[in-house]
Amino acid sequence: MKFETPAGANPIDRGKVVGRPLDRIDGKLKTTGTAPYAYERHDVIPNQAYGHVVGAAIAKGRIVAIDLAEAKAAPGVLAIVTAGNAGKLGKGQMNTARLIAGPEVEHYHQAVALVVAETFEQARAAAHLVRVDYARTKGAFDLAAAKGAATMPKGDEDSLVGDFAGAFAAAPVQFDAEYRTPDESHAMMEPHASIAAWEGDRLTLWTSNQMINWGKGDVARNLGIAPENVRLDSPYIGGGFGGKLFVRADAVLAALGAKAAGRPVKVALARPMMANNTTHRPATIQRIRIGATKDGRITAIGHESWSGDLPGGGPETAVQQTRLLYAGANRMTRLRLAVLDLPEANAMRAPGEAPGLMALEVAIDEMAEKLGMDPIEFRILNDTQVDPEKPERPFSQRQLVACLRQGAERFGWGRRNATPGAVRDGRWLVGMGVAAGFRNNLLQKSAARVRLENDGRVTVETDMTDIGTGTYTIIAQTAAEMMGVDIGRVVVKLGDSDFPVSAGSGGQWGANNATAGVYAACVKLREAVAQKLGFNADADFADGRVTSGNRSVPLADAARDGPIAAEDLIEYGDLHRKYQQSTFASHFVEVGVDRFTGETRVRRMLAVCAAGRILNPKSARSQVIGAMTMGVGAALMEELAVDKRFGFFVNHDLAGYEVPVHADIPHQEVIFLDEVDPISSPMKAKGVGELGLCGVGAAIANAIYNATGVRVRDYPVTLDKLIAGMPLSV
Amino acid sequence: MKPFTYERTATPVEAAGAAARTPGASFIAGGTNLLDLMKLQIEAPAHLIDVNGVGLDRIEPAGDGGLRIGALVRNTDLAADKRVRRDYAVLSRALLAGASGQLRNKATTAGNLLQRTRCPYFYDTNQPCNKRRPGSGCAAIGGFSRQLGVIGVSEACIATHPSDMAVAMRLLDATVETVKPDGTTRAIPIADFHRLPGNTPHIETALEAGELITAVTLPKPPGGRHIYRKVRDRASYAFALVSVAAVIQRDGSGRVALGGVAHKPWRVEAAEAELPRGAKAVAAGLLAGARPTRDNAFKLPLAERTIAAAIDEARA
């Protein structure tokens, strides 16, 4: 189905199943430990051996020699894989660095070897016996130092509208500041893990991966085999946040280990390897300039961002939202990319907007203060209903003003004291902050197969993944709505590369695109069923029956002679060119800052989201509160600490890389505005999984400023950056 | 993890004797720290002596009105003990500020005293560390050191001791009781129990080979207001950037000890005389001679401010 014109009325609008706050259909499996994750799939194939990865001990250089003798002789060892003995290896399209080092080492903890043994303990013990001699070469590890040599990345040209420099210079009120965001780790619960088995030339990988079709292709490229000989199966994923968009060393090494050992091999990355072996969100240095009239109209807005990556890598697109969020005739955004020899930088939940809004939305707060305006009123005054770079393109839906107004009322913004440091509650300095949330709605092709079974149940098959987001449930809701059956009559099968190719999970595009693909397949199935039962195309599917005029037949009758299947995909025309599709939110936060120690504790959070049709308010809310929690981490504690001498992230475990714990998370409230967006897809939905994070960090930083009068422009906002500006009068 | 042999012993003297007999042996009690270190091959004992069956799990009155805490009393039980909560509340609060409920259920009194540092370079076996591999150097000096020591540090090591419990015990003038392989016992004042790193940061305590902790004894209750303030980036389940244990009397006199700043719980008795003059004077005395890094220089003002918070809390 090609989606070329805005969606009209369709069966989804009935809202009998779609749009209801239904429990997850996989909830029981998850809460009883019976949803098997990749490493736990003991039943898929017998005789699994264990692989343990050895990571490079240097950031950059060369392996001079590897001595495997002692490791090979260790108890239980079956095989050892290195670049030297693995045969010719390729590189995945989605990988910047190779997944296996040798002889060149491109980053710290790049995989040097896989030791395969009978037991996990034997593999791990023997891995310590692999002796590697390195020749270290000098690398670049410091973004601030490398920034001067940064260049414009290919495909990310500067955006220039009007005369930014002139308008900024002429603006009666000017603001110019630099912000920094640190490297961050996805730190999902389930590490990267795979079980590999060969059957002749055919490889099966039971793995944990967000994008099955990308993964299938890149496994083939890494191993130099045909993609049709690769099967990936990833039905349950214990979190990804972008860290599992790409095939990583666990999958490729499990495949190589299984080949070398002549039997199935399972590999999980040990927690201390994840920060440096896999990808991370790169640090940024951002400069924002805003020029405005005295009454608060933006006349010039400029946003520049510097980030670093390995040679051939890409930038953190932190200026993205600044092209679209506020009005202003004269505009400039610019990305610059430095070469750094740190581990590979790549996407993490809301790449671009997450760190970009951490800067922009503080700058907006600072500018509002400079103008003597309420920061909400300043935002509303500069709202735009069209793409400010191409005013002929309206937003398909844009309810940012409503998000801000409703949020302000709900949160009690009117009670905020605009004077920083003015509100005390015992030892706590109390402040409120606000930020706009923004994330684009991305469109991806997505296919599905639906089948009406003999017993009237409906089976959906697609290689779409559920990374904890609730995909199983919204797909079941979509199929139930379309086929007019109870959700309990729908069986959803995901994550298998033998199924039709879906959008996958990333960029908050999964929900809208994957359900639209199921919608398309269901339209075809309805046609087939109607034909089989002798109905016209206008037949109504409801309550397990197909009805037209006076005639009504049980749906299951259509499959009496055997199941009926239909497959289709959703693909998109040029509506995205005519309309800008984005999602909007307001984030409100109240913090307390200990006046003695500078410790910040979040007291209340509110998100008001406008993101098209909300397919399941319960799972959507879970997505948003999870994202808000991640925002607390980004604002207050998360930072991969760089050792600038040796070039690695030092705090590479969950004791050193702190993410919020339950005690850090107070009451969180989420409001979804009523919205359907007929431009986005037949589902009229968009995504919320990243929107919930976008702007949270800035709202917290703004609340801390309101509480203390200290403006920190270098995340995370930890107490050491606050106390210097908080004189203690006892 | 390297393969190891394992035995259970029935009495403390047997355990100490077994340790003396077997080269490369370690005692294991709760195992909450040792097992992690073994998995990462930071420690690789050839032999484990399980002391969980040797008794030593009771809290009983000590002769002089104090309290004797068996070496194997679990952190959870110690924190919840009525006598501890009433007479040594700072100890209870320090315990509850540490780790998680699950870990406290397993972790023992002696094991808590013997925790190894959480310096990230100690945990990365690719990096030099004089504590892990004596003589290999210290990667933390000049590296990422935000969490590390500011006082009592050496050219060889700037690690901190991670325990909260030990800070409270230092404040309370606890005594560590031990038994040696030959059956003799001794009582080590806690001030002398943990060592500064000097040139031998791998030697962390005054314990001799095979010597087993049997109990920690607290002298009679000190009275006063008991305060434990642990400062960290998140609200729970993190090691202290700085912690302050304090007992403050009605007349403003009292005691103060710091955690998170040194290779051992940090207390300077002479500095406590300054308590009536306020946090600045106390901190100046406690931290005289501090040698922070650029990353952790904030710990000096933070310590002062946290002492101020404790004094403020005592007044409230």
Side-chain angles (χ1 to χ4, degrees):
Chain A
M1 173 183 291
K2 189 150 188 188
F3 184 72
E4 292 178 293
T5 55
N10 68 40
I12 298 296
D13 295 328
R14 298 185 294 193
K16 286 186 175 176
V17 197
V18 170
R20 303 277 166 176
L22 301 179
D23 289 346
R24 287 169 194 244
I25 62 170
D26 52 332
K28 193 173 171 191
L29 297 177
K30 297 270 175 78
T31 51
T32 55
T34 46
Y37 291 83
Y39 201 72
E40 305 164 334
R41 300 192 70 182
H42 315 296
D43 57 333
V44 290
I45 190 143
N47 204 27
Q48 298 172 13
Y50 294 80
H52 196 81
V53 181
V54 179
I58 62 167
K60 191 179 185 191
R62 205 163 41 80
I63 296 169
V64 177
I66 305 187
D67 180 357
L68 301 177
E70 211 181 334
K72 273 187 179 159
V77 171
L78 301 167
I80 301 179
V81 176
T82 66
N85 65 23
K88 192 173 177 317
L89 296 174
K91 198 177 86 172
Q93 235 166 35
M94 301 291 178
N95 301 133
T96 303
R98 287 167 305 121
L99 297 176
I100 302 170
E104 298 304 317
V105 173
E106 294 165 284
H107 63 84
Y108 196 72
H109 276 175
Q110 192 175 23
V112 164
L114 180 82
V115 178
V116 180
E118 289 287 352
T119 71
F120 171 76
E121 287 77 11
Q122 288 171 333
R124 186 175 58 187
H128 281 274
L129 301 173
V130 173
R131 311 277 173 227
V132 188
D133 284 338
Y134 299 99
R136 210 188 279 259
T137 48
K138 245 181 106 160
F141 309 121
D142 183 353
L143 176 61
K147 177 176 173 257
T151 56
M152 187 166 77
K154 245 190 240 162
D156 285 299
E157 278 74 36
D158 301 352
S159 73
L160 300 164
V161 175
D163 170 19
F164 168 74
F168 181 72
V173 186
Q174 298 171 355
F175 175 79
D176 182 352
E178 185 182 284
Y179 300 87
R180 290 175 186 227
T181 63
D183 296 285
E184 290 177 2
S185 183
H186 306 86
M188 59 282 191
M189 292 268 281
E190 182 204 26
H192 298 78
S194 298
I195 301 172
W198 294 88
E199 204 178 336
D201 290 341
R202 283 189 53 84
L203 170 68
T204 302
L205 276 166
W206 295 274
T207 189
S208 183
N209 191 294
Q210 298 174 223
M211 299 292 296
I212 297 304
N213 195 49
W214 291 2
K216 179 175 165 153
D218 267 0
V219 166
R221 280 182 202 96
N222 269 283
L223 297 173
I225 61 177
E228 51 272 24
N229 282 340
V230 178
R231 179 180 162 230
L232 261 59
D233 187 31
S234 187
Y236 300 108
I237 297 164
F241 308 127
K244 294 173 182 163
L245 287 169
F246 320 114
V247 164
R248 301 297 312 170
D250 58 299
V252 173
L253 282 170
L256 293 169
K259 183 145 262 181
R263 61 190 263 198
V265 168
K266 59 161 66 177
V267 178
L269 294 183
R271 182 66 64 180
M273 282 199 68
M274 288 181 57
N276 288 285
N277 177 273
T278 73
T279 59
H280 67 280
R281 189 203 299 284
T284 65
I285 298 174
Q286 303 178 44
R287 183 185 183 194
I288 294 179
R289 281 175 280 176
I290 305 171
T293 59
K294 287 213 162 94
D295 61 356
R297 285 191 192 280
I298 294 174
T299 54
I301 186 161
H303 191 164
E304 296 157 272
S305 174
W306 291 261
S307 61
D309 201 357
L310 289 163
E316 180 70 22
T317 53
V319 303
Q320 206 157 256
Q321 72 289 320
T322 308
R323 301 178 65 175
L324 291 161
L325 194 47
Y326 296 111
N330 302 286
R331 321 178 64 86
M332 177 273 291
T333 68
R334 188 179 283 160
L335 291 172
R336 291 294 178 267
L337 178 62
V339 170
L340 290 180
D341 299 297
L342 289 170
E344 180 171 333
N346 219 314
M348 178 168 145
R349 199 176 197 172
E353 279 97 329
L357 285 161
M358 284 165 79
L360 176 66
E361 285 300 287
V362 172
I364 291 289
D365 199 69
E366 297 201 60
M367 186 62 168
E369 190 185 35
K370 209 165 179 181
L371 288 160
M373 288 180 76
D374 179 273
I376 293 177
E377 296 308 322
F378 180 50
R379 288 180 173 92
I380 290 172
L381 182 67
N382 289 289
D383 185 51
T384 173
Q385 292 295 315
V386 296
D387 174 350
E389 290 182 5
K390 296 181 188 126
E392 68 281 9
R393 289 177 77 228
F395 282 92
S396 62
Q397 296 278 349
R398 177 168 164 133
Q399 296 203 69
L400 176 60
V401 171
C403 290
L404 289 163
R405 290 245 188 263
Q406 282 204 24
E409 189 178 332
R410 181 84 191 172
F411 201 69
W413 183 256
R415 293 196 303 275
R416 170 181 178 262
N417 187 329
T419 308
V423 180
R424 278 270 296 269
D425 175 9
R427 65 183 228 237
W428 299 100
L429 306 171
V430 180
M432 289 190 207
V434 66
F438 173 93
R439 175 75 176 151
N440 278 332
N441 185 54
L442 303 173
L443 301 173
Q444 306 273 349
K445 282 195 281 194
S446 195
R449 181 160 58 226
V450 285
R451 195 166 55 243
L452 179 66
E453 312 286 0
N454 296 48
D455 59 3
R457 288 195 298 175
V458 176
T459 303
V460 184
E461 293 171 337
T462 165
D463 82 356
M464 180 60 192
T465 50
D466 187 328
I467 59 174
T469 44
T471 312
Y472 276 103
T473 309
I474 57 172
I475 282 180
Q477 286 173 276
T478 304
E481 193 78 79
M482 289 299 291
M483 301 312 297
V485 299
D486 187 87
I487 191 169
R489 304 290 287 162
V490 180
V491 176
V492 180
K493 296 181 179 174
L494 300 181
D496 188 329
S497 62
D498 287 349
F499 296 153
V501 174
S502 73
S505 297
Q508 81 170 15
W509 67 57
N512 180 47
N513 292 290
T515 55
V518 173
Y519 171 97
C522 285
V523 167
K524 272 206 172 164
L525 183 60
R526 285 165 63 117
E527 288 165 8
V529 166
Q531 192 180 19
K532 175 87 184 173
L533 295 176
F535 282 101
N536 291 328
D538 65 349
D540 182 45
F541 287 66
D543 304 321
R545 305 183 70 82
V546 187
T547 308
S548 184
N550 294 331
R551 186 162 162 251
S552 179
V553 180
L555 174 68
D557 284 8
R560 252 196 318 231
D561 307 331
I564 307 182
E567 184 177 329
D568 200 5
L569 86 165
I570 191 82
E571 54 189 329
Y572 298 91
D574 64 353
L575 283 175
H576 65 283
R577 277 193 200 89
K578 294 181 190 152
Y579 296 90
Q580 175 57 37
Q581 297 184 30
S582 306
T583 61
F584 296 88
S586 64
H587 287 287
F588 289 81
V589 173
E590 181 181 295
V591 300
V593 181
D594 188 301
R595 73 184 185 94
F596 292 100
T597 63
E599 289 162 290
T600 298
R601 300 291 179 248
V602 175
R603 298 181 147 205
R604 292 192 291 141
M605 306 181 82
L606 166 68
V608 183
C609 303
R613 169 177 274 135
I614 300 303
L615 302 171
N616 181 329
K618 193 172 184 180
S619 56
R621 177 181 180 277
S622 294
Q623 278 295 289
V624 175
I625 64 172
M628 290 158 80
T629 303
M630 202 173 230
V632 172
L636 298 179
M637 61 194 82
E638 291 188 43
E639 175 175 17
L640 285 167
V642 181
D643 187 312
K644 290 171 188 158
R645 306 161 305 169
F646 302 129
F648 70 106
F649 300 128
V650 182
N651 52 341
H652 52 64
D653 60 30
L654 290 180
Y657 185 84
E658 289 183 20
V659 298
V661 294
H662 281 286
D664 291 299
I665 301 305
H667 181 68
Q668 295 174 311
E669 190 177 358
V670 181
I671 295 170
F672 295 110
L673 297 187
D674 277 335
E675 180 176 304
V676 286
D677 192 338
I679 306 295
S680 72
S681 81
M683 300 302 291
K684 305 171 189 172
K686 290 184 276 200
V688 295
E690 299 185 329
L691 179 65
L693 168 60
C694 294
V696 175
I700 293 171
N702 293 338
I704 291 172
Y705 173 74
N706 181 240
T708 63
V710 184
R711 188 64 85 173
V712 177
R713 300 187 184 91
D714 177 18
Y715 290 96
V717 186
T718 46
L719 58 91
D720 44 306
K721 297 168 190 170
L722 288 171
I723 54 175
M726 293 169 59
L728 189 58
S729 53
V730 187
Chain B
M1 191 183 283
K2 278 192 176 166
F4 55 88
T5 53
Y6 169 90
E7 72 180 300
R8 284 180 169 207
T9 51
T11 69
V13 185
E14 249 180 59
R21 273 196 308 278
T22 327
S26 283
F27 300 119
I28 183 164
T32 58
N33 193 201
L34 179 64
L35 289 177
D36 284 353
L37 295 169
M38 288 171 68
K39 289 173 186 173
L40 296 166
Q41 221 151 298
I42 294 163
E43 293 204 34
H47 184 66
L48 285 185
I49 300 159
D50 186 337
V51 294
N52 284 296
V54 304
L56 306 179
D57 56 354
R58 293 173 52 186
I59 305 172
E60 5 176 65
D64 56 352
L67 206 59
R68 188 167 186 277
I69 303 157
L72 288 165
V73 172
R74 308 288 153 172
N75 288 177
T76 296
D77 298 331
L78 182 57
D81 185 88
K82 263 191 203 146
R83 292 157 294 185
V84 173
R85 290 176 58 189
R86 185 185 62 219
D87 298 332
Y88 307 97
V90 65
L91 176 57
S92 189
R93 290 183 181 132
L95 281 158
L96 294 175
S100 65
Q102 293 90 329
L103 286 167
R104 292 193 297 266
N105 287 343
K106 281 301 277 183
T108 63
T109 304
N112 191 320
L113 284 178
L114 296 174
Q115 279 183 82
R116 310 293 310 273
T117 185
R118 304 293 168 150
C119 173
Y121 294 93
F122 173 71
Y123 269 83
D124 189 332
T125 51
N126 289 330
Q127 303 301 322
C129 171
N130 287 320
K131 198 179 262 302
R132 180 165 31 76
R133 216 165 56 215
S136 61
C138 172
I141 296 173
F144 171 62
S145 55
R146 182 169 183 266
Q147 194 78 25
L148 303 179
V150 294
I151 191 157
V153 295
S154 74
E155 297 303 315
C157 181
I158 59 171
T160 52
H161 194 269
S163 172
D164 294 295
M165 182 198 79
V167 181
M169 286 180 168
R170 175 71 180 88
L171 187 82
L172 293 167
D173 290 322
T175 302
V176 181
E177 295 179 14
T178 68
V179 61
K180 292 188 190 180
D182 63 4
T184 60
T185 62
R186 64 168 173 154
I188 310 168
I190 193 159
D192 303 329
F193 181 78
H194 293 107
R195 295 163 48 110
L196 288 180
N199 289 323
T200 53
H202 59 291
I203 304 172
E204 293 169 350
T205 69
L207 292 175
E208 293 168 13
E211 190 172 7
L212 179 73
I213 298 172
T214 52
V216 175
T217 304
L218 304 177
K220 69 176 191 325
R225 287 286 301 270
H226 286 224
I227 293 155
Y228 192 77
R229 278 297 302 275
K230 182 176 185 180
V231 182
R232 41 190 164 176
D233 292 322
R234 65 181 173 192
S236 179
Y237 203 50
F239 295 98
L241 293 166
V242 164
S243 70
V244 169
V247 170
I248 296 178
Q249 306 296 339
R250 200 166 289 199
D251 64 3
S253 68
R255 317 171 181 186
V256 180
L258 299 178
V261 296
H263 203 252
K264 59 190 285 186
W266 195 254
R267 184 174 171 206
V268 177
E269 278 82 347
E272 291 165 0
E274 303 291 330
L275 259 173
R277 273 180 288 285
K280 197 175 191 70
V282 177
L286 266 171
L287 297 168
R291 285 164 55 202
T293 66
R294 202 178 53 185
D295 283 357
N296 67 20
F298 74 92
K299 287 191 176 190
L300 302 182
L302 181 62
E304 181 189 322
R305 297 173 75 109
T306 312
I307 294 167
I311 294 172
D312 188 67
E313 191 179 330
R315 281 199 200 118

